[in-house]
Amino acid sequence: MERRVAEQLRSALGPLGLEAHAFKVGWYNAVLQPAFHLPYPDDTLAFVVLSTPSMFDKALKPFVSKERLKIIRDPVDQCVSHHLSRVKEKFPDQRVDIMFDYEMLPSRKPKFLAQTAAHIAGAAYYYQRKDVKLDPWGKKKIFGVCIHPKYGGWFAIRALLLFPAIQVPFLEQPPPVDCVSSEEKRIELLELFNFHWQDGRYRDIIEVKERYSEEQKTYFATPPAERFRLLGLSQEAQ
């Protein structure tokens, strides 16, 4: 069942520049405090959905062009929501729950921890302070960051798809690719991400096979309220 669902997701999301990676809810809950647990049995099938560099041209621009006359608040979020809703329709006999990376619980905690989900699904390696043996940062707060083996930091974690009726007790957990394996490089990565994230150098910590286009870089570097004109949308759309 898991393979059939994964194939359907791959065929639906691949042409849009999106990836789906399978995991069991229990893998995710096992590494987090109860406050962050997903409220499903451990063997429940889930997928973490990533956007790759090609999503901008394959999904976002066509979506904006088609929805130009409708109210658009956040083009990327609405584009991903639109396409995942369409994917959900491909499983008429299944309950499919969707959680988006921007959604919050009433407690103001995120509905899921995106980077943890990507790591336990084997999609991208979540490099954290604990991955550095000789910690040079003292009392400074250091945030972790996911690196994709193919796209480096040129990707985003967008959503979870959960299939509550599908239990996969025998699903094997794939380890994420440890593509930043040296101590020196890990320190450099966390330094760049925490103290120089605006220039995006952390994204190229490894040699990548594909990165954001110049147009896409400009779009994401532009304040959200000013992005509409880059996509040919008027302020009325906002």
Side-chain angles (χ1 to χ4, degrees):
M1 176 63 87
E2 176 271 328
R3 283 184 184 168
R4 193 163 78 241
V5 172
E7 284 169 10
Q8 284 181 270
L9 290 177
R10 199 173 295 117
S11 66
L13 298 177
L16 300 169
L18 298 171
E19 290 183 355
H21 297 261
F23 68 95
K24 288 201 304 186
V25 165
W27 303 345
Y28 176 91
N29 288 349
V31 298
L32 293 171
Q33 297 171 346
F36 291 103
H37 284 186
L38 296 171
Y40 301 84
D42 281 352
D43 288 335
T44 303
L45 176 64
F47 292 83
V48 61
V49 178
L50 315 179
S51 62
T52 73
S54 66
M55 188 273 280
F56 191 79
D57 286 321
K58 289 180 176 178
L60 180 63
K61 286 162 76 174
F63 171 78
V64 167
S65 178
K66 188 178 174 187
E67 305 292 313
R68 188 176 299 279
L69 300 179
K70 298 181 182 177
I71 294 175
I72 292 181
R73 294 180 181 84
D74 184 292
V76 173
D77 288 348
Q78 284 182 251
C79 171
V80 172
S81 175
H82 167 78
H83 286 298
L84 291 188
S85 296
R86 294 278 299 275
V87 165
K88 191 173 176 176
E89 294 169 6
K90 294 183 181 294
F91 302 94
D93 300 326
Q94 292 288 347
R95 175 180 150 199
V96 184
D97 295 345
I98 305 176
M99 294 182 185
F100 295 101
D101 66 299
Y102 52 82
E103 289 186 299
M104 297 285 183
L105 296 166
S107 63
R108 301 307 296 161
K109 287 186 173 73
K111 278 197 172 181
F112 73 98
L113 299 184
Q115 300 201 102
T116 299
H119 184 93
I120 59 98
Y125 200 108
Y126 184 21
Y127 291 98
Q128 302 176 73
R129 188 174 195 157
K130 64 183 176 63
D131 294 309
V132 172
K133 293 184 181 71
L134 299 174
D135 185 324
W137 298 295
K139 293 183 179 179
K140 289 179 183 174
K141 177 78 172 173
I142 298 295
F143 294 98
V145 60
C146 271
I147 295 296
H148 190 288
K150 183 176 178 182
Y151 305 116
W154 301 102
F155 77 104
I157 304 157
R158 298 294 179 187
L160 296 186
L161 297 175
L162 297 117
F163 293 78
I166 302 178
Q167 301 296 299
V168 285
F170 302 112
L171 188 65
E172 292 187 14
Q173 185 170 9
V177 178
D178 181 6
C179 48
V180 187
S181 53
S182 76
E183 176 92 349
E184 183 183 19
K185 274 290 184 186
R186 289 180 181 186
I187 291 172
E188 182 185 353
L189 169 64
L190 293 175
E191 289 269 346
L192 289 173
F193 181 69
N194 280 272
F195 308 121
H196 308 282
W197 61 269
Q198 296 97 327
D199 63 26
R201 281 183 292 156
Y202 78 90
R203 299 179 189 270
D204 286 312
I205 195 69
I206 62 169
E207 191 171 327
V208 300
K209 294 190 169 58
E210 192 180 346
R211 57 172 57 84
Y212 291 175
S213 64
E214 289 306 315
E215 180 186 17
Q216 190 171 178
K217 287 181 193 173
T218 300
Y219 177 82
F220 286 115
T222 301
E226 297 170 28
R227 292 174 180 173
F228 292 88
R229 61 180 176 76
L230 296 179
L231 293 173
L233 294 171
S234 66
Q235 283 304 109
E236 286 76 37
Q238 183 183 3

